[in-house]
């Protein structure tokens, strides 16, 4: 047996195509959906993530603005940009690219984002609404995973789900969404004892850890659905040889690095029922769901206007 490949790229493309008509309709009615991004500092990965998001906006005909600040920016500098985007009538979704430099108070910044424009779903109002099962904006990665499962006909109701990771961005909202979809959910973290045994109980296993290849065959019940959220850069050749299938090794040698997930795909793929690849699994969905939230925010603004 080898796991069904849950193709996030194709699913994300389908979601984007569904949004195209809605963007045109809103634009014709004077509410062209707009995304405003705050980017602080010169972290290379953050710059790439922001560019991927704004390129995706452009491809759909959406408006976007990126406000940048140097790594030395103060909390007040960042707050001022968030306020500007909150006030802008051209902007319906506001996101602050994380991480922020250490001197910036990230909690104050995220709390200032208008809850009605908080397309990342990090504001306490939106977190509370998710907990109470009356969601408005929910973090894009876990919503993307629910869409991926639904669009592949994977039913979670009544199933045992195990989420490894308890971050505000992925693990916690993932666990809530699975619980609301009637899965029986266990959340694991760095203090969980006998992690492999707990993970092995899962019909649906979500790995959101940030440790390359941590989830191995002994973590996986035969036939389980395995969702790999991890996005880890590997540069060590010995590690790459362990983690990558032979087909990707040539590319690693050419580039000197590779992106791998939290799941050790070579050993897990033969026993799992379904598995998301890295890259091309969860990553593309995150952006598609960000666009979807921004389009919905624009529609809400039009309805309220
Ligand atoms: P995070 O904030 O660092 O959280 C990691 C979680 O994993 C924590 O809850 C931590 O436990 C747990 N953990 C760490 N080491 C562990 C271990 N050895 N055993 C069990 N649990 C362990 O990371 P995150 O933001 O949730 O991101 C997780 C991964 O997903 C990263 O690789 C990130 O790059 C990736 N990611 C991908 C996307 C995407 O669009 N594809 C989006 C977001 C994140 P404690 O709470 O006890 O510390």
């Amino acid at each position: 047996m080898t796991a069904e490949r849950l193709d996030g790229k194709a699913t994300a493309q389908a979601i984007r195509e569904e949004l195209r008509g809605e963007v045109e309709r809103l634009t014709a009615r004077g509410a062209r959906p707009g995304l405003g991004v705050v980017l602080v500092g010169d972290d290379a990965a953050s710059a790439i993530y922001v560019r991927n998001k704004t390129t995706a906006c452009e491809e759909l005909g959406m408006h976007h603005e990126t406000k940048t600040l140097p790594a030395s920016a103060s909390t007040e500098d960042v707050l001022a940009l968030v306020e500007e985007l909150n006030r802008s009538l051209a902007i319906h979704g506001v996101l602050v690219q994380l991480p922020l430099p250490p001197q910036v108070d990230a909690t104050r910044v995220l709390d200032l984002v208008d809850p009605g424009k908080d397309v990342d779903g990090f504001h306490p109002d939106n977190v509370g609404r998710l907990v109470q099962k009356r969601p408005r904006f929910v973090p894009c990665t876990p919503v993307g995973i629910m869409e991926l499962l639904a669009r592949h006909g994977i039913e979670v109701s009544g199933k045992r789900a195990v989420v490894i990771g308890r971050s505000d961005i992925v693990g916690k909202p993932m666990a809530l969404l699975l619980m609301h979809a009637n899965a029986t959910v266990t959340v694991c973290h760095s203090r969980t004892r006998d992690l492999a045994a707990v993970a092995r109980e899962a019909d649906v296993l979500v790995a959101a850890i940030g440790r390359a290849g941590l989830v191995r065959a002994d973590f996986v019940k035969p036939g389980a659905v395995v969702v790999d959220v991890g996005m880890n850069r590997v540069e060590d050749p010995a590690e790459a040889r362990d983690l990558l299938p032979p087909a990707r090794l040539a590319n690693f040698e050419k580039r000197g690095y590779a992106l791998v997930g939290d799941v050790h795909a070579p050993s897990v793929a033969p026993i799992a029922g379904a598995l998301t690849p890295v890259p091309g699994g969860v990553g593309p969905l995150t952006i598609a769901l960000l666009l979807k939230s921004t389009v919905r925010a624009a529609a809400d603004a039009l309805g309220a206007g």
Side-chain angles (χ1 to χ4, degrees), residues 164-165 170 195 205-217 219-220 226-234 243 259-268 275-278:
I164 312 180
V170 190
L195 183 62
L205 177 63
V206 180
I209 312 162
R211 302 276 183 276
L214 184 104
V215 172
R216 299 212 166 224
F219 282 57
V220 178
V226 181
V227 177
D228 189 354
V229 186
M231 190 74 87
N232 311 291
R233 191 183 158 105
V234 168
L243 292 168
L259 289 179
V260 301
D262 293 338
V263 175
H264 185 259
S267 66
V268 168
L275 174 64
T276 62
V278 175

Side-chain angles (χ1 to χ4, degrees), residues 1-301:
M1 182 171 78
T2 197
E4 177 192 358
R5 187 175 186 275
L6 298 177
D7 187 341
K9 218 168 151 185
T11 305
Q13 186 58 33
I15 294 170
R16 284 208 295 263
E17 286 312 316
E18 289 162 17
L19 290 174
R20 196 175 291 282
E22 179 70 354
V23 171
E24 281 167 14
R25 193 182 67 80
L26 288 165
T27 304
R29 296 182 66 197
R32 184 183 180 204
L35 178 70
V37 182
V38 176
L39 173 62
V40 187
D42 35 38
D43 179 64
S46 290
I48 292 171
Y49 292 145
V50 168
R51 208 177 48 237
N52 290 343
K53 291 168 189 175
T54 54
T55 304
C57 284
E58 248 158 55
E59 281 167 7
L60 271 194
M62 290 166 58
H63 172 68
H64 63 86
E65 288 173 35
T66 302
K67 307 268 182 204
T68 56
L69 284 171
S72 58
S74 68
T75 300
E76 299 305 324
D77 296 333
V78 186
L79 292 174
L81 285 189
V82 170
E83 255 175 2
E84 197 182 318
L85 292 170
N86 279 348
R87 276 197 306 268
S88 169
L89 293 177
I91 295 297
H92 306 95
V94 174
L95 78 82
V96 179
Q97 185 63 43
L98 299 176
L100 290 167
Q103 79 279 7
V104 175
D105 183 339
T107 304
R108 273 185 75 198
V109 169
L110 295 178
D111 283 2
L112 188 70
V113 173
D114 178 343
K117 294 189 176 188
D118 173 36
V119 282
D120 263 341
F122 296 162
H123 191 284
D125 278 15
N126 287 318
V127 176
R129 292 181 69 104
L130 170 61
V131 172
Q132 293 181 343
K133 207 181 172 187
R134 45 189 193 122
R136 178 170 44 187
F137 294 115
V138 179
C140 300
T141 301
V143 185
I145 292 168
M146 295 304 285
E147 285 256 5
L148 183 72
L149 297 177
R151 286 171 190 246
H152 284 80
I154 295 168
E155 178 58 72
V156 300
S157 178
K159 302 268 180 69
R160 290 294 307 266
V162 173
V163 179
I164 312 180
R166 55 175 166 182
S167 71
D168 291 340
I169 297 172
V170 190
K172 267 188 235 170
M174 185 78 254
L176 285 162
L177 289 173
L178 287 164
M179 182 175 72
H180 292 160
N182 299 318
T184 300
V185 184
T186 303
V187 181
C188 301
H189 44 76
S190 65
R191 309 286 178 89
T192 298
R193 289 197 194 138
D194 203 354
L195 183 62
V198 181
R200 226 168 24 241
E201 290 176 9
D203 302 306
V204 178
L205 177 63
V206 180
I209 312 162
R211 302 276 183 276
L214 184 104
V215 172
R216 299 212 166 224
D218 59 325
F219 282 57
V220 178
K221 177 159 84 179
V225 173
V226 181
V227 177
D228 189 354
V229 186
M231 190 74 87
N232 311 291
R233 191 183 158 105
V234 168
E235 294 177 6
D236 175 49
E239 206 182 346
R241 275 194 297 277
D242 171 41
L243 292 168
L244 295 172
R248 286 187 63 200
L249 272 177
N251 205 24
F252 167 81
E253 272 149 26
K254 203 162 70 197
R255 292 200 302 182
Y257 74 92
L259 289 179
V260 301
D262 293 338
V263 175
H264 185 259
S267 66
V268 168
I271 55 168
L275 174 64
T276 62
V278 175
V282 173
L285 286 163
T286 301
I287 295 186
L289 270 293
L290 172 71
L291 301 175
K292 190 170 178 177
S293 287
T294 307
V295 170
R296 218 191 56 234
D300 289 352

